[in-house]
Amino acid sequence: MNEEHAIVLDYLPHGKSSSFKAEPIAIVLGTSFFTLLEVVPKAGADLKPLEEVYIGRETREKIDHIKQRIPFEQLTNNAKEELDKAVEDVILKNEKRFIQFFNASGSISLKRHQLELLPGVGKQHMEDILRERQIKPFESLKDIEDRVRFLTAPLSILRRRVMSELEGDEKHYLFARPPQTDDELRGAPPRQRR
């Protein structure tokens, strides 16, 4: 479950002022699991905000290596400013993946459904979505907006949910990789999540 591509949120050609070693770094958002990462660009690489870069295991054009995963709190102000737009871009470029969530999501417990974890989606919206998807699976975000009464701006709903997950404010994670545990931050192997 590694990220293959990422969107540049901020580029610091001289590194962070708090860093022991002065090296250029970029803060990026993974496009598969919304993982926040610090990466080290290759010498001479010029990175622009919201540019998509390859960070997978094969030969990378602009990125030398991934330095570390970072929590939301360690984002620079510039990275935070670009994050909303980057999240929205990822959703739009991977619309089918998010439509699949609306078409296939299920219950979390006897009383709660995954759809209810989306901001602004209550019981009535959930029932409308479930009824409509049984009639015919949703084909686009526009299709959801057209067919589900009073549910406006599904893109905004998805973006707000991803942002909340990135900030680490959720019990359940639908789209973003959950924050690292204290053990993972100390370098211990990750424990199984329940």
Side-chain angles (χ1 to χ4, degrees):
M1 285 187 28
N2 291 322
E3 298 283 6
E4 293 287 315
H5 295 89
I7 295 177
V8 176
L9 300 175
D10 197 8
Y11 175 50
L12 306 165
H14 305 293
K16 289 183 176 176
S17 58
S18 61
S19 293
F20 175 72
K21 180 181 173 187
E23 67 181 342
I25 62 161
I27 298 172
V28 300
L29 174 72
T31 60
S32 295
F33 309 105
F34 296 102
T35 311
L36 295 168
L37 301 164
E38 269 184 14
V39 299
V40 176
K42 287 186 173 183
D46 185 30
L47 301 175
K48 307 266 186 271
L50 300 179
E51 173 184 0
E52 188 169 321
V53 293
Y54 177 72
I55 61 170
R57 296 185 186 274
E58 303 300 320
T59 305
R60 302 177 187 130
E61 181 184 338
K62 292 189 169 189
I63 304 302
D64 185 66
H65 64 275
I66 296 170
K67 188 171 180 177
Q68 64 183 344
R69 184 173 171 200
I70 60 172
F72 179 84
E73 299 79 39
Q74 289 182 19
L75 292 178
T76 62
N77 287 335
N78 287 343
K80 286 179 182 175
E81 285 179 25
E82 299 292 354
L83 190 56
D84 262 357
K85 178 71 174 124
V87 167
E88 197 167 286
D89 286 351
V90 170
I91 293 168
L92 288 172
K93 286 181 181 173
N94 299 281
E95 186 174 357
K96 282 186 170 52
R97 175 176 133 205
F98 294 93
I99 297 306
Q100 183 59 21
F101 171 78
F102 280 93
N103 286 328
S105 58
S107 295
I108 300 169
S109 67
L110 291 174
K111 294 184 177 185
R112 196 113 196 246
H113 196 280
Q114 285 179 318
L115 289 167
E116 293 175 282
L117 299 178
L118 298 175
V121 176
K123 291 265 186 228
Q124 187 60 54
H125 282 128
M126 178 203 66
E127 289 171 7
D128 291 347
I129 291 167
L130 294 176
R131 183 183 62 252
E132 285 296 324
R133 79 182 191 188
Q134 277 190 324
I135 296 168
K136 180 183 172 201
F138 295 108
E139 296 176 3
S140 67
L141 293 173
K142 175 91 171 82
D143 189 27
I144 293 168
E145 192 169 357
D146 290 345
R147 291 170 49 196
V148 180
R149 293 178 318 142
F150 307 116
L151 183 71
T152 57
L155 175 60
S156 175
I157 290 169
L158 290 166
R159 180 185 45 73
R160 290 189 345 240
R161 175 62 197 198
V162 171
M163 290 295 293
S164 183
E165 290 180 17
L166 287 172
E167 291 168 13
D169 294 341
E170 298 298 337
K171 180 178 177 183
H172 301 283
Y173 285 78
L174 303 173
F175 308 113
R177 182 170 275 147
Q180 291 175 300
T181 64
D182 290 339
D183 287 345
E184 290 169 320
L185 291 170
R186 286 190 298 270
R191 288 182 284 176
Q192 292 291 353
R193 296 184 193 278
R194 296 177 193 241

PDB file of all heavy atoms in Angstrom, residues 85-107:
ATOM      1  N   LYS A  85      -7.238  22.395  -2.368  1.00  0.00           N
ATOM      2  CA  LYS A  85      -7.242  22.283  -3.831  1.00  0.00           C
ATOM      3  C   LYS A  85      -6.660  20.937  -4.268  1.00  0.00           C
ATOM      4  O   LYS A  85      -7.181  20.292  -5.184  1.00  0.00           O
ATOM      5  CB  LYS A  85      -6.439  23.449  -4.434  1.00  0.00           C
ATOM      6  CG  LYS A  85      -6.334  23.408  -5.938  1.00  0.00           C
ATOM      7  CD  LYS A  85      -7.652  23.719  -6.614  1.00  0.00           C
ATOM      8  CE  LYS A  85      -7.482  23.819  -8.115  1.00  0.00           C
ATOM      9  NZ  LYS A  85      -8.338  22.945  -8.858  1.00  0.00           N
ATOM     10  N   ALA A  86      -5.583  20.506  -3.609  1.00  0.00           N
ATOM     11  CA  ALA A  86      -4.956  19.224  -3.961  1.00  0.00           C
ATOM     12  C   ALA A  86      -5.920  18.062  -3.708  1.00  0.00           C
ATOM     13  O   ALA A  86      -6.044  17.158  -4.533  1.00  0.00           O
ATOM     14  CB  ALA A  86      -3.661  19.032  -3.177  1.00  0.00           C
ATOM     15  N   VAL A  87      -6.607  18.079  -2.570  1.00  0.00           N
ATOM     16  CA  VAL A  87      -7.574  17.022  -2.245  1.00  0.00           C
ATOM     17  C   VAL A  87      -8.686  16.997  -3.291  1.00  0.00           C
ATOM     18  O   VAL A  87      -9.064  15.943  -3.793  1.00  0.00           O
ATOM     19  CB  VAL A  87      -8.134  17.206  -0.812  1.00  0.00           C
ATOM     20  CG1 VAL A  87      -9.365  16.322  -0.582  1.00  0.00           C
ATOM     21  CG2 VAL A  87      -7.063  16.916   0.226  1.00  0.00           C
ATOM     22  N   GLU A  88      -9.186  18.165  -3.636  1.00  0.00           N
ATOM     23  CA  GLU A  88     -10.245  18.255  -4.648  1.00  0.00           C
ATOM     24  C   GLU A  88      -9.762  17.705  -5.994  1.00  0.00           C
ATOM     25  O   GLU A  88     -10.479  16.967  -6.669  1.00  0.00           O
ATOM     26  CB  GLU A  88     -10.691  19.708  -4.781  1.00  0.00           C
ATOM     27  CG  GLU A  88     -12.022  19.868  -5.459  1.00  0.00           C
ATOM     28  CD  GLU A  88     -12.575  21.269  -5.302  1.00  0.00           C
ATOM     29  OE1 GLU A  88     -13.035  21.597  -4.184  1.00  0.00           O
ATOM     30  OE2 GLU A  88     -12.550  22.015  -6.301  1.00  0.00           O
ATOM     31  N   ASP A  89      -8.530  18.055  -6.373  1.00  0.00           N
ATOM     32  CA  ASP A  89      -7.966  17.545  -7.632  1.00  0.00           C
ATOM     33  C   ASP A  89      -7.887  16.020  -7.631  1.00  0.00           C
ATOM     34  O   ASP A  89      -8.209  15.369  -8.619  1.00  0.00           O
ATOM     35  CB  ASP A  89      -6.564  18.126  -7.880  1.00  0.00           C
ATOM     36  CG  ASP A  89      -6.592  19.587  -8.306  1.00  0.00           C
ATOM     37  OD1 ASP A  89      -7.691  20.117  -8.577  1.00  0.00           O
ATOM     38  OD2 ASP A  89      -5.507  20.204  -8.346  1.00  0.00           O
ATOM     39  N   VAL A  90      -7.443  15.447  -6.511  1.00  0.00           N
ATOM     40  CA  VAL A  90      -7.332  13.982  -6.402  1.00  0.00           C
ATOM     41  C   VAL A  90      -8.714  13.343  -6.549  1.00  0.00           C
ATOM     42  O   VAL A  90      -8.875  12.354  -7.269  1.00  0.00           O
ATOM     43  CB  VAL A  90      -6.663  13.556  -5.071  1.00  0.00           C
ATOM     44  CG1 VAL A  90      -6.773  12.045  -4.867  1.00  0.00           C
ATOM     45  CG2 VAL A  90      -5.212  14.004  -5.028  1.00  0.00           C
ATOM     46  N   ILE A  91      -9.712  13.911  -5.897  1.00  0.00           N
ATOM     47  CA  ILE A  91     -11.068  13.358  -5.989  1.00  0.00           C
ATOM     48  C   ILE A  91     -11.567  13.405  -7.430  1.00  0.00           C
ATOM     49  O   ILE A  91     -12.087  12.418  -7.944  1.00  0.00           O
ATOM     50  CB  ILE A  91     -12.034  14.109  -5.042  1.00  0.00           C
ATOM     51  CG1 ILE A  91     -11.659  13.827  -3.582  1.00  0.00           C
ATOM     52  CG2 ILE A  91     -13.486  13.696  -5.308  1.00  0.00           C
ATOM     53  CD1 ILE A  91     -12.361  14.729  -2.571  1.00  0.00           C
ATOM     54  N   LEU A  92     -11.379  14.538  -8.086  1.00  0.00           N
ATOM     55  CA  LEU A  92     -11.859  14.674  -9.467  1.00  0.00           C
ATOM     56  C   LEU A  92     -11.124  13.749 -10.435  1.00  0.00           C
ATOM     57  O   LEU A  92     -11.728  13.176 -11.332  1.00  0.00           O
ATOM     58  CB  LEU A  92     -11.735  16.127  -9.930  1.00  0.00           C
ATOM     59  CG  LEU A  92     -12.736  17.093  -9.293  1.00  0.00           C
ATOM     60  CD1 LEU A  92     -12.411  18.532  -9.667  1.00  0.00           C
ATOM     61  CD2 LEU A  92     -14.169  16.737  -9.685  1.00  0.00           C
ATOM     62  N   LYS A  93      -9.818  13.565 -10.236  1.00  0.00           N
ATOM     63  CA  LYS A  93      -9.045  12.688 -11.122  1.00  0.00           C
ATOM     64  C   LYS A  93      -9.346  11.212 -10.880  1.00  0.00           C
ATOM     65  O   LYS A  93      -9.065  10.374 -11.720  1.00  0.00           O
ATOM     66  CB  LYS A  93      -7.547  12.940 -10.949  1.00  0.00           C
ATOM     67  CG  LYS A  93      -7.087  14.224 -11.585  1.00  0.00           C
ATOM     68  CD  LYS A  93      -5.597  14.421 -11.418  1.00  0.00           C
ATOM     69  CE  LYS A  93      -5.172  15.729 -12.036  1.00  0.00           C
ATOM     70  NZ  LYS A  93      -3.779  16.060 -11.756  1.00  0.00           N
ATOM     71  N   ASN A  94      -9.883  10.911  -9.701  1.00  0.00           N
ATOM     72  CA  ASN A  94     -10.204   9.529  -9.338  1.00  0.00           C
ATOM     73  C   ASN A  94     -11.690   9.405  -9.028  1.00  0.00           C
ATOM     74  O   ASN A  94     -12.080   8.669  -8.114  1.00  0.00           O
ATOM     75  CB  ASN A  94      -9.375   9.104  -8.118  1.00  0.00           C
ATOM     76  CG  ASN A  94      -7.903   9.165  -8.388  1.00  0.00           C
ATOM     77  OD1 ASN A  94      -7.342   8.285  -9.019  1.00  0.00           O
ATOM     78  ND2 ASN A  94      -7.253  10.235  -7.940  1.00  0.00           N
ATOM     79  N   GLU A  95     -12.508  10.100  -9.783  1.00  0.00           N
ATOM     80  CA  GLU A  95     -13.941  10.176  -9.492  1.00  0.00           C
ATOM     81  C   GLU A  95     -14.584   8.795  -9.375  1.00  0.00           C
ATOM     82  O   GLU A  95     -15.399   8.554  -8.482  1.00  0.00           O
ATOM     83  CB  GLU A  95     -14.646  11.007 -10.565  1.00  0.00           C
ATOM     84  CG  GLU A  95     -16.105  11.254 -10.259  1.00  0.00           C
ATOM     85  CD  GLU A  95     -16.779  12.198 -11.251  1.00  0.00           C
ATOM     86  OE1 GLU A  95     -16.095  12.707 -12.154  1.00  0.00           O
ATOM     87  OE2 GLU A  95     -17.997  12.395 -11.117  1.00  0.00           O
ATOM     88  N   LYS A  96     -14.190   7.862 -10.240  1.00  0.00           N
ATOM     89  CA  LYS A  96     -14.792   6.513 -10.212  1.00  0.00           C
ATOM     90  C   LYS A  96     -14.602   5.841  -8.844  1.00  0.00           C
ATOM     91  O   LYS A  96     -15.493   5.158  -8.355  1.00  0.00           O
ATOM     92  CB  LYS A  96     -14.170   5.647 -11.303  1.00  0.00           C
ATOM     93  CG  LYS A  96     -14.711   5.931 -12.683  1.00  0.00           C
ATOM     94  CD  LYS A  96     -14.152   4.932 -13.669  1.00  0.00           C
ATOM     95  CE  LYS A  96     -14.725   4.910 -14.995  1.00  0.00           C
ATOM     96  NZ  LYS A  96     -14.932   5.852 -15.885  1.00  0.00           N
ATOM     97  N   ARG A  97     -13.427   6.026  -8.250  1.00  0.00           N
ATOM     98  CA  ARG A  97     -13.155   5.446  -6.928  1.00  0.00           C
ATOM     99  C   ARG A  97     -14.134   5.978  -5.881  1.00  0.00           C
ATOM    100  O   ARG A  97     -14.641   5.224  -5.044  1.00  0.00           O
ATOM    101  CB  ARG A  97     -11.713   5.771  -6.541  1.00  0.00           C
ATOM    102  CG  ARG A  97     -11.326   5.352  -5.175  1.00  0.00           C
ATOM    103  CD  ARG A  97      -9.846   5.638  -4.935  1.00  0.00           C
ATOM    104  NE  ARG A  97      -9.667   6.275  -3.668  1.00  0.00           N
ATOM    105  CZ  ARG A  97      -8.661   7.044  -3.351  1.00  0.00           C
ATOM    106  NH1 ARG A  97      -7.723   7.305  -4.232  1.00  0.00           N
ATOM    107  NH2 ARG A  97      -8.567   7.564  -2.165  1.00  0.00           N
ATOM    108  N   PHE A  98     -14.442   7.261  -5.932  1.00  0.00           N
ATOM    109  CA  PHE A  98     -15.331   7.864  -4.944  1.00  0.00           C
ATOM    110  C   PHE A  98     -16.791   7.555  -5.250  1.00  0.00           C
ATOM    111  O   PHE A  98     -17.596   7.400  -4.339  1.00  0.00           O
ATOM    112  CB  PHE A  98     -15.054   9.367  -4.843  1.00  0.00           C
ATOM    113  CG  PHE A  98     -13.683   9.625  -4.288  1.00  0.00           C
ATOM    114  CD1 PHE A  98     -12.598   9.800  -5.134  1.00  0.00           C
ATOM    115  CD2 PHE A  98     -13.473   9.620  -2.925  1.00  0.00           C
ATOM    116  CE1 PHE A  98     -11.327   9.987  -4.623  1.00  0.00           C
ATOM    117  CE2 PHE A  98     -12.202   9.811  -2.402  1.00  0.00           C
ATOM    118  CZ  PHE A  98     -11.120   9.994  -3.255  1.00  0.00           C
ATOM    119  N   ILE A  99     -17.122   7.421  -6.527  1.00  0.00           N
ATOM    120  CA  ILE A  99     -18.466   6.991  -6.912  1.00  0.00           C
ATOM    121  C   ILE A  99     -18.696   5.567  -6.416  1.00  0.00           C
ATOM    122  O   ILE A  99     -19.780   5.229  -5.924  1.00  0.00           O
ATOM    123  CB  ILE A  99     -18.653   7.070  -8.449  1.00  0.00           C
ATOM    124  CG1 ILE A  99     -18.530   8.507  -8.935  1.00  0.00           C
ATOM    125  CG2 ILE A  99     -19.984   6.470  -8.871  1.00  0.00           C
ATOM    126  CD1 ILE A  99     -19.427   9.496  -8.251  1.00  0.00           C
ATOM    127  N   GLN A 100     -17.666   4.737  -6.503  1.00  0.00           N
ATOM    128  CA  GLN A 100     -17.758   3.357  -6.005  1.00  0.00           C
ATOM    129  C   GLN A 100     -18.093   3.340  -4.508  1.00  0.00           C
ATOM    130  O   GLN A 100     -18.835   2.483  -4.047  1.00  0.00           O
ATOM    131  CB  GLN A 100     -16.457   2.600  -6.289  1.00  0.00           C
ATOM    132  CG  GLN A 100     -16.470   1.147  -5.874  1.00  0.00           C
ATOM    133  CD  GLN A 100     -17.565   0.325  -6.543  1.00  0.00           C
ATOM    134  OE1 GLN A 100     -18.098   0.682  -7.589  1.00  0.00           O
ATOM    135  NE2 GLN A 100     -17.927  -0.776  -5.929  1.00  0.00           N
ATOM    136  N   PHE A 101     -17.555   4.304  -3.762  1.00  0.00           N
ATOM    137  CA  PHE A 101     -17.894   4.393  -2.342  1.00  0.00           C
ATOM    138  C   PHE A 101     -19.399   4.594  -2.178  1.00  0.00           C
ATOM    139  O   PHE A 101     -20.040   3.924  -1.375  1.00  0.00           O
ATOM    140  CB  PHE A 101     -17.122   5.531  -1.654  1.00  0.00           C
ATOM    141  CG  PHE A 101     -17.597   5.793  -0.255  1.00  0.00           C
ATOM    142  CD1 PHE A 101     -17.206   4.965   0.781  1.00  0.00           C
ATOM    143  CD2 PHE A 101     -18.471   6.833   0.013  1.00  0.00           C
ATOM    144  CE1 PHE A 101     -17.672   5.182   2.076  1.00  0.00           C
ATOM    145  CE2 PHE A 101     -18.938   7.060   1.302  1.00  0.00           C
ATOM    146  CZ  PHE A 101     -18.537   6.231   2.330  1.00  0.00           C
ATOM    147  N   PHE A 102     -19.984   5.513  -2.945  1.00  0.00           N
ATOM    148  CA  PHE A 102     -21.430   5.748  -2.858  1.00  0.00           C
ATOM    149  C   PHE A 102     -22.214   4.514  -3.292  1.00  0.00           C
ATOM    150  O   PHE A 102     -23.281   4.234  -2.753  1.00  0.00           O
ATOM    151  CB  PHE A 102     -21.838   6.954  -3.716  1.00  0.00           C
ATOM    152  CG  PHE A 102     -21.567   8.276  -3.070  1.00  0.00           C
ATOM    153  CD1 PHE A 102     -20.386   8.950  -3.310  1.00  0.00           C
ATOM    154  CD2 PHE A 102     -22.498   8.858  -2.216  1.00  0.00           C
ATOM    155  CE1 PHE A 102     -20.128  10.177  -2.719  1.00  0.00           C
ATOM    156  CE2 PHE A 102     -22.257  10.073  -1.607  1.00  0.00           C
ATOM    157  CZ  PHE A 102     -21.061  10.742  -1.865  1.00  0.00           C
ATOM    158  N   ASN A 103     -21.682   3.761  -4.246  1.00  0.00           N
ATOM    159  CA  ASN A 103     -22.389   2.590  -4.760  1.00  0.00           C
ATOM    160  C   ASN A 103     -22.222   1.345  -3.904  1.00  0.00           C
ATOM    161  O   ASN A 103     -23.050   0.436  -3.980  1.00  0.00           O
ATOM    162  CB  ASN A 103     -21.935   2.279  -6.193  1.00  0.00           C
ATOM    163  CG  ASN A 103     -22.507   3.257  -7.195  1.00  0.00           C
ATOM    164  OD1 ASN A 103     -23.608   3.766  -7.027  1.00  0.00           O
ATOM    165  ND2 ASN A 103     -21.739   3.545  -8.236  1.00  0.00           N
ATOM    166  N   ALA A 104     -21.171   1.255  -3.102  1.00  0.00           N
ATOM    167  CA  ALA A 104     -20.878  -0.004  -2.407  1.00  0.00           C
ATOM    168  C   ALA A 104     -20.710   0.117  -0.899  1.00  0.00           C
ATOM    169  O   ALA A 104     -20.539  -0.904  -0.233  1.00  0.00           O
ATOM    170  CB  ALA A 104     -19.612  -0.618  -3.005  1.00  0.00           C
ATOM    171  N   SER A 105     -20.752   1.305  -0.343  1.00  0.00           N
ATOM    172  CA  SER A 105     -20.518   1.460   1.098  1.00  0.00           C
ATOM    173  C   SER A 105     -21.551   0.673   1.892  1.00  0.00           C
ATOM    174  O   SER A 105     -22.663   0.432   1.436  1.00  0.00           O
ATOM    175  CB  SER A 105     -20.558   2.937   1.479  1.00  0.00           C
ATOM    176  OG  SER A 105     -21.804   3.496   1.105  1.00  0.00           O
ATOM    177  N   GLY A 106     -21.149   0.278   3.098  1.00  0.00           N
ATOM    178  CA  GLY A 106     -22.022  -0.544   3.934  1.00  0.00           C
ATOM    179  C   GLY A 106     -22.099  -0.036   5.357  1.00  0.00           C
ATOM    180  O   GLY A 106     -21.612   1.045   5.689  1.00  0.00           O
ATOM    181  N   SER A 107     -22.677  -0.857   6.206  1.00  0.00           N
ATOM    182  CA  SER A 107     -22.854  -0.500   7.609  1.00  0.00           C
ATOM    183  C   SER A 107     -21.557  -0.642   8.389  1.00  0.00           C
ATOM    184  O   SER A 107     -20.742  -1.519   8.112  1.00  0.00           O
ATOM    185  CB  SER A 107     -23.913  -1.396   8.255  1.00  0.00           C
ATOM    186  OG  SER A 107     -25.162  -1.168   7.661  1.00  0.00           O
TER     187      SER A 107
END
